């Protein structure tokens, strides 16, 4: 059999692995590529997926970086079943429709901008609400621990990954020429001791393991320390009569934050007159889905719910569904906590809250999740002094907190603990879903501690897997990886800078307003160049 890495290879987004056996061609996960323009262009290029020839998908969990290209696949000819757990099926409905809506809004915005510059308005959404709706009838749900056979010679079992509601580890048993090879896809592995989720299930055997490595190079702070930090952000902004802004993914992180606020309120660390706004229609819907699946939640939460205590409810919780309600939050100058999406601040209502609060000394911005490279969230965490939001430079004067103890991902030690459960001596480990530096770090530890061979696949790399954990590379990754030639871009920039230098004399005859506009543009260019410098 062959496996091709179509995403989450040396990066965290776009998870998708296409597997070809002698009887079927199918894929595990179908994630959207998110981050820089070059990475996002991969969403457009459907040729490597060849959707019409994919027999079925197996989806580990509903996060968009694992499921977000399903509507694109349906639009381009995919017609097979999509296997997932029951909660994943429900979450897919709301997440894919939301994603389609974002695509439509972005394309419409781009066309408006093109129209104003007199250019052709030819931006089309990556996929539409209709495409997302077309996916739903294909979804077939399966329970944890149940073995099912989606094609001859292939058996699948989902195990609880402890990451988000319904998230699964996928065990694949593939029979070819009389021998069975076992592949395990970790999906995203949860952090043990999450408030709402159970612990990730141990798996004992595999010939080939495809393991996530998001936090391959670091550990999280402890749960109590994270709660204390959240309490100190609340104390700081309450004292300054400002807001605490929490960008959070709608699924899981939002509910984990609500649960944490519930605990803080119980301990008297959340002032009773400080309202909490849940400003995300998607997060509101997701919270309802959590309530539907008690048996998927961890033991302690189930006991609380049985005793009539709902950890996702707060007496001062206000849900804002409409845009008008969302706008009203920033019209009042009362101290408040605002939880809004997206979690990496690259889309959605959170951008408005950052525009209103990022520049306010006394306000707090609390990051509770992973911030991918190229996103505004990552720039703020990395210490940017200014951030461009809606074509405006906003100074970062609020206090920034990065609390990774709320993460839904296992930290480095926790990944190694999960790996320790495997008893197979000749297992091949592939590290996926991580930035390369984190993966190299984790690979070294795995080789040292367990003596297992580790491969870090590249985007579009293809590998033949043979029974007995033997493998052989099919395509040189160098051929597959699109190399970006940066030199002409730099040469072009230098010429343009020289042109600007030649015009400096003329600028002084322009109006004050025009000169101020030029100063702004130069400052922005300088900020961009600073950002490039910091990449090395
Ligand atoms: Zn995830
Ligand atoms: Zn993920």
């Amino acid at each position: 059999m062959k496996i091709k890495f179509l995403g989450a290879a040396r990066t965290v987004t776009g998870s998708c692995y296409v597997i070809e056996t002698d009887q079927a061609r199918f894929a595990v996960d179908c994630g959207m590529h998110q981050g820089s323009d070059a990475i996002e262009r991969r969403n457009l290029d459907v040729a490597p997926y060849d959707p019409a020839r994919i027999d079925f998908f197996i989806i580990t969990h509903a996060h968009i970086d694992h499921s977000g290209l399903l509507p694109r696949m349906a639009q381009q000819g995919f017609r097979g079943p999509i296997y997932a757990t029951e909660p994943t099926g429900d979450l897919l409905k709301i997440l894919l429709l939301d994603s389609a809506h974002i695509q439509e809004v972005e394309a419409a915005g781009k066309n408006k901008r093109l129209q104003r510059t007199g250019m052709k308005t030819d931006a089309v959404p990556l996929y539409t609400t209709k495409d997302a709706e077309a996916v739903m009838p294909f979804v077939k749900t399966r329970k944890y621990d149940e073995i099912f056979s989606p094609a001859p010679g292939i058996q699948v079992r989902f195990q609880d990954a402890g990451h988000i509601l319904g998230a699964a580890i996928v065990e694949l048993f593939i029979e070819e020429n009389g021998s069975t090879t076992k592949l395990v896809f970790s999906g995203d592995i949860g952090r043990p001791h999450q408030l709402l989720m159970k612990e990730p299930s141990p798996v004992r055997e595999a010939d080939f393991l495809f393991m996530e490595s998001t936090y391959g190079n670091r550990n999280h702070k402890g749960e109590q320390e994270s709660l204390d930090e959240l309490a100190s952000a609340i104390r700081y902004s309450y004292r300054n009569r400002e807001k605490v802004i929490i960008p959070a993914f709608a699924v899981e992180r939002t509910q984990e934050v609500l649960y944490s606020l519930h605990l803080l309120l119980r301990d008297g660390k959340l002032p009773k007159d400080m309202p909490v706004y849940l400003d995300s229609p998607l997060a509101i819907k997701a919270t309802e889905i959590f309530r539907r699946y008690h048996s998927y939640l961890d033991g302690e939460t189930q006991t609380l719910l049985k005793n009539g205590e709902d950890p996702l409810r707060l007496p001062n919780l206000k849900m804002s569904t409409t845009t008008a309600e969302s706008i009203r939050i920033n019209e009042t100058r009362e101290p408040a906590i605002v939880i809004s999406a997206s979690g990496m601040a690259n889309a959605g209502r959170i951008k408005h809250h950052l525009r209103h609060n990022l520049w306010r000394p006394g306000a707090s911005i609390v990051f509770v999740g992973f911030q991918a490279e190229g996103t505004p969230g990552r720039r703020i965490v990395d210490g940017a002094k200014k951030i461009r939001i809606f074509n405006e430079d906003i100074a970062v004067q609020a206090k920034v907190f990065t609390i990774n103890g709320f993460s839904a991902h296992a930290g480095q030690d926790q990944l190694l603990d999960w790996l320790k459960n495997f008893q197979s001596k000749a297992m091949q480990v592939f590290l996926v879903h991580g930035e390369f530096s984190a993966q190299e770090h984790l690979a070294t530890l795995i080789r040292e501690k367990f003596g297992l061979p580790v491969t870090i696949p590249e985007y579009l790399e293809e590998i033949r897997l043979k029974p007995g954990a033997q493998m052989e590379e099919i395509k040189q990754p160098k051929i597959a990886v699109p190399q970006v030639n940066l030199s002409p871009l730099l040469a072009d920039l230098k010429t343009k800078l020289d042109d600007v230098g030649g015009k400096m004399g003329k600028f002084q005859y322009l109006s004050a307003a025009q000169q101020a506009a030029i100063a702004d543009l130069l400052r922005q260019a300088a900020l961009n160049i600073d950002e490039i410098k910091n990449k090395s």
Side-chain angles (χ1 to χ4, degrees):
M1 85 196 76
K2 293 189 295 188
I3 182 165
K4 193 149 109 185
F5 297 87
L6 291 187
R10 306 195 177 194
T11 176
V12 288
T13 67
S15 279
C16 182
Y17 317 100
V18 172
I19 297 160
E20 252 181 280
T21 70
D22 51 13
Q23 308 204 57
R25 184 175 184 271
F26 64 98
V28 174
D29 279 344
C30 187
M32 187 180 281
H33 305 273
Q34 294 158 301
S36 65
D37 288 350
I39 294 266
E40 289 190 1
R41 260 196 298 273
R42 294 174 180 176
N43 293 320
L44 297 170
D45 188 11
V46 288
Y49 295 86
D50 198 354
R53 280 189 53 242
I54 293 181
D55 299 328
F56 59 92
F57 275 101
I58 298 169
I59 300 297
T60 61
H61 65 290
H63 273 155
I64 286 299
D65 64 315
H66 295 258
S67 71
L69 281 190
L70 285 171
R72 177 91 174 133
M73 294 299 123
Q75 176 202 67
Q76 299 290 321
F78 168 71
R79 292 288 177 273
I82 298 166
Y83 295 97
T85 65
E86 218 183 336
T88 299
D90 276 359
L91 289 169
L92 280 178
K93 272 183 211 140
I94 59 168
L95 286 172
L96 293 181
L97 283 175
D98 179 73
S99 172
H101 178 68
I102 293 173
Q103 305 300 329
E104 287 169 345
V105 170
E106 273 178 10
K110 204 167 168 191
N111 279 333
K112 253 188 206 159
R113 282 196 298 279
L114 289 170
Q115 202 173 14
R116 282 197 293 268
T117 55
M119 282 155 79
K120 225 167 78 196
T121 53
D122 53 1
V124 283
L126 181 64
Y127 52 78
T128 61
T129 307
K130 243 194 179 142
D131 297 322
E133 278 164 354
V135 167
M136 306 313 166
F138 296 135
V139 178
K140 306 233 173 309
T141 61
R142 294 289 181 269
K143 290 193 165 46
Y144 288 141
D145 293 326
E146 172 190 340
I147 292 184
F148 61 97
S149 179
I154 300 170
Q155 292 198 311
V156 185
R157 179 164 60 194
F158 289 138
Q159 299 256 24
D160 195 339
H163 167 61
I164 67 164
L165 187 72
I169 298 164
V170 175
E171 293 177 286
L172 267 175
F173 304 85
I174 298 176
E175 207 187 309
E176 270 184 325
N177 309 317
S179 54
T180 303
T181 307
K182 185 178 176 192
L183 278 58
V184 172
F185 291 84
S186 74
D188 289 356
I189 290 286
R191 174 176 57 84
H193 325 301
Q194 277 188 83
L195 291 167
L196 284 156
M197 293 296 110
K198 294 181 182 163
E199 314 287 281
S201 301
V203 183
R204 312 261 173 231
E205 280 168 355
D207 295 303
F208 300 97
L209 167 65
F210 303 84
M211 185 169 110
E212 73 121 317
S213 47
T214 319
Y215 287 96
N217 58 349
R218 58 194 150 122
N219 280 310
H220 301 314
K221 290 176 196 160
E223 285 74 29
Q224 190 53 48
E225 207 181 320
S226 300
L227 263 185
D228 292 344
E229 232 178 307
L230 180 60
S232 74
I234 293 170
R235 208 166 41 238
Y236 174 76
S237 291
Y238 184 75
R239 212 189 303 130
N240 288 298
R241 301 203 55 74
E242 291 289 347
K243 291 188 171 63
V244 178
I245 307 295
I246 310 179
F249 297 102
V251 179
E252 184 67 31
R253 210 61 43 86
T254 291
Q255 292 74 29
E256 197 84 0
V257 169
L258 286 175
Y259 201 141
S260 303
L261 292 172
H262 178 88
L263 296 178
L264 290 180
L265 184 74
R266 213 170 57 181
D267 294 350
K269 290 176 179 164
L270 171 62
K272 288 206 170 64
D273 59 343
M274 192 171 189
V276 178
Y277 291 97
L278 183 50
D279 186 29
S280 158
L282 186 61
I284 295 168
K285 281 187 210 149
T287 307
E288 283 316 309
I289 294 178
F290 270 72
R291 290 208 173 91
R292 228 178 274 164
Y293 289 102
H294 285 192
S295 69
Y296 282 77
L297 305 176
D298 88 336
E300 228 168 287
T301 310
Q302 287 191 40
T303 314
L304 282 183
L305 286 163
K306 261 187 219 129
N307 296 338
E309 189 181 346
D310 185 341
L312 300 181
R313 252 187 245 291
L314 290 161
N316 44 356
L317 182 64
K318 297 182 197 303
M319 314 269 190
S320 23
T321 327
T322 65
T323 313
E325 283 166 332
S326 174
I327 291 170
R328 227 172 292 141
I329 298 173
N330 287 305
E331 282 171 353
T332 64
R333 294 271 13 103
E334 56 169 4
I337 296 169
V338 184
I339 308 166
S340 185
S342 74
M344 298 193 281
N346 49 345
R349 291 182 180 178
I350 191 69
K351 285 167 77 181
H352 293 277
H353 297 298
L354 289 176
R355 185 168 71 148
H356 283 283
N357 294 283
L358 200 54
W359 56 274
R360 290 186 167 276
S364 303
I365 316 294
V366 179
F367 289 98
V368 289
F370 186 81
Q371 305 298 313
E373 256 182 79
T375 59
R378 176 67 164 261
R379 283 197 282 277
I380 299 174
V381 168
D382 284 348
K385 297 272 176 288
K386 276 183 185 170
I387 291 291
R388 200 159 181 89
I389 303 171
F390 299 121
N391 285 325
E392 225 181 292
D393 284 332
I394 313 289
V396 181
Q397 298 189 100
K399 199 162 170 177
V400 176
F401 294 79
T402 310
I403 310 182
N404 64 21
F406 290 119
S407 177
H409 285 273
Q412 186 188 66
D413 288 347
Q414 297 159 338
L415 284 170
L416 293 170
D417 281 347
W418 183 74
L419 185 60
K420 217 186 275 166
N421 296 311
F422 284 87
Q423 306 296 317
S424 314
K425 293 276 171 286
M427 180 169 75
Q428 290 275 350
V429 180
F430 292 84
L431 291 185
V432 293
H433 199 293
E435 284 173 9
F436 190 50
S437 54
Q439 297 183 309
E440 278 184 308
H441 211 94
L442 189 65
T444 309
L445 285 176
I446 294 173
R447 287 183 194 115
E448 277 171 14
K449 280 183 189 272
F450 304 101
L452 293 169
V454 185
T455 306
I456 306 176
E458 260 285 13
Y459 178 57
L460 295 186
E461 191 169 343
E462 207 171 358
I463 289 171
R464 196 181 302 280
L465 307 175
K466 299 176 182 173
Q470 298 291 311
M471 53 176 253
E472 150 199 320
E473 207 165 293
I474 297 175
K475 215 183 235 175
Q476 281 299 320
K478 280 197 185 64
I479 304 169
V481 181
Q483 292 291 326
V484 183
N485 189 359
L486 300 173
S487 307
L489 293 171
L490 184 66
D492 185 42
L493 179 66
K494 279 181 178 159
T495 319
K496 285 190 171 139
L497 273 180
D498 286 344
D499 289 350
V500 172
K503 289 191 170 165
M504 284 310 263
K506 289 187 185 153
F507 290 152
Q508 58 180 308
Y509 300 110
L510 297 175
S511 72
Q514 282 170 313
Q515 289 191 38
I518 291 170
D520 273 351
L521 289 168
L522 283 173
R523 266 185 227 115
Q524 185 56 41
L527 279 176
N528 286 341
I529 287 172
D530 278 341
E531 204 178 322
I532 295 168
K533 267 193 333 208
N534 292 336
K535 291 268 177 229
S536 59

